[in-house]
Amino acid sequence: MPTYSATAIAHPNIALIKYWGDRDPRLHLPVSGSISFNLDKLTTHTQVIFNSELHADALSINGTPADEKSLRRLSNFLDIVRQWSATPLFASVVSENNFPLGSGVASSASAFAALAVAAAHAVNLSLTEQELSRLARHGSGSACRSIPSGFVEWQCGESDEDSYAQTIVPPEHWQLADVTAIVSSEQKATSSAEGHQIAATSPLQAARVADATQRLDVCRSAILERDFDKLASITELDSNLMHAVMMTSTPALFYWHPETLAVMKAVAAWRQSGLPVCYTVDAGPNVHIICLAEAASEVATRLSSIPGVAKTLCARPGPGASLVE
Ligand code: DP6
């Protein structure tokens, strides 16, 4: 009975310049580029076994069989791997995250990055980093950014072939940290996939997209120059712009809770008083606080005294996805 297996590890990433809105929802082709860094302490570890005895794909996440929606998303992704490699076999996939679901850290990025690396290797597809990033993008847009190491830019490209992510600088270039303030662990009501599809209904989206190249340039140069003030203002502006689009879409999406705004305001005040911090918020209520690594423990202490902050998670810029031998 032929079996082909491989295991890979990948990290989620936090976007400083966000991806919000698809030109092509099936291919996850974005309306503009984005910039992120991988989160070193947080991991997804995934084993893929293609097996001639299986009659369907199977998926377990953190020891529990996945629901039908997740299984369908997995099979759609594996269909691409089967097509690229001319492998007819079904696969059994076992995935473990070391961070809780609903923690405000998008697990789909690390999930599809680890899956892309493991599945491609299992079927002997020898892919370049760019091709792996493209492949991961088919599963989840932000997953293409978890393939390369460190600080990463996803160029939006014009087609399936040229929409992938590349390293701007390696993780050790800049000692930053991401401290996530968890204010709610509830599963969000509207997924990113649904949000991307209604982004264009906001009259603000066109202005947000028109200005994206400029924001990407400012963010990239802030990273290259290790200019924290420049990074802080562009990161907060980009997050606020995305949430303005969300709130003015049809239907309107309000991801913030009262505690979200309380943390954002506190962070802005801390920066005013000299602490090197800024905030960014994804499609959920939890707040990512980006800071110089030397300030991370002070940030975590201050966050824990804000009512409603249940927990904090801390990570530093990390490596890309890799095989586990
Ligand atoms: C707000 O990559 O999760 O986190 O491609 O549908 O899987 P799909 O969406 P996803 O969207 C990420 C949205 C975001 C911003 C970002 O990470 O850039």
Side-chain angles (χ1 to χ4, degrees):
M1 127 184 131
T3 60
Y4 307 91
S5 74
T7 302
I9 189 168
H11 305 272
N13 63 74
I14 180 65
L16 305 169
I17 302 295
K18 310 285 191 192
Y19 150 48
W20 196 249
D22 276 326
R23 267 179 302 139
D24 181 326
R26 192 180 55 85
L27 292 173
H28 301 273
L29 293 177
V31 289
S32 52
S34 52
I35 290 179
S36 61
F37 64 86
N38 294 334
L39 302 174
D40 70 343
K41 289 272 170 52
L42 313 179
T43 57
T44 298
H45 193 268
T46 298
Q47 183 187 39
V48 180
I49 306 175
F50 286 91
N51 183 336
S52 59
E53 307 230 310
L54 290 171
H55 299 292
D57 296 318
L59 172 63
S60 133
I61 303 173
N62 295 344
T64 308
D67 60 29
E68 220 174 285
K69 200 170 158 198
S70 307
L71 195 56
R72 205 171 328 116
R73 203 167 165 183
L74 170 82
S75 286
N76 289 341
F77 180 83
L78 290 177
D79 284 345
I80 298 164
V81 176
R82 284 186 273 264
Q83 200 188 321
W84 286 20
S85 63
T87 305
L89 306 184
F90 291 111
S92 159
V93 175
V94 177
S95 192
E96 304 278 345
N97 297 321
N98 76 346
F99 55 97
L101 290 176
S103 61
V105 177
S107 56
S108 64
S110 49
F112 281 101
L115 180 65
V117 171
H121 193 260
V123 295
N124 262 326
L125 263 179
S126 142
L127 301 181
T128 62
E129 185 181 273
Q130 285 178 13
E131 289 164 334
L132 279 170
S133 175
R134 266 182 63 206
L135 175 61
R137 195 202 72 232
H138 283 270
S140 172
S142 56
C144 77
R145 297 190 310 238
S146 282
I147 295 286
S149 177
F151 295 83
V152 166
E153 180 163 355
W154 174 9
Q155 57 179 58
C156 79
E158 296 192 342
S159 65
D160 182 24
E161 281 70 35
D162 61 358
S163 185
Y164 53 80
Q166 283 175 301
T167 297
I168 305 171
V169 280
E172 56 280 5
H173 169 77
W174 199 4
Q175 306 300 315
L176 292 186
D178 170 28
V179 185
T180 311
I182 300 178
V183 301
S184 168
S185 300
E186 272 171 34
Q187 202 66 13
K188 60 191 171 202
T190 309
S191 68
S192 301
E194 292 164 296
H196 290 301
Q197 287 182 43
I198 60 164
T201 64
S202 164
L204 305 183
Q205 174 74 337
R208 180 184 161 271
V209 173
D211 183 56
T213 307
Q214 194 266 133
R215 292 195 307 282
L216 288 161
D217 289 346
V218 173
C219 184
R220 196 184 312 108
S221 68
I223 292 170
L224 291 170
E225 295 156 13
R226 299 188 196 91
D227 181 336
F228 192 83
D229 285 341
K230 193 165 164 181
L231 186 83
S233 41
I234 203 68
T235 297
E236 291 187 354
L237 172 66
D238 191 82
S239 173
N240 293 344
L241 277 171
M242 180 182 74
H243 284 272
V245 166
M246 291 163 161
M247 290 176 198
T248 50
S249 297
T250 305
L253 301 176
F254 295 96
Y255 285 109
W256 296 352
H257 289 192
E259 296 82 4
T260 311
L261 195 56
V263 172
M264 288 162 63
K265 285 183 153 185
V267 168
W270 298 342
R271 187 158 78 258
Q272 286 277 315
S273 70
L275 198 67
V277 282
C278 66
Y279 63 77
T280 184
V281 185
D282 278 344
N286 300 316
V287 186
H288 290 260
I289 291 98
I290 311 297
C291 62
L292 292 182
E294 68 210 29
S297 62
E298 172 68 16
V299 169
T301 307
R302 291 193 190 193
L303 284 171
S304 59
S305 69
I306 298 179
V309 174
K311 200 175 149 186
T312 57
L313 292 176
C314 185
R316 304 273 296 270
S322 60
L323 269 179
V324 176
E325 296 301 341

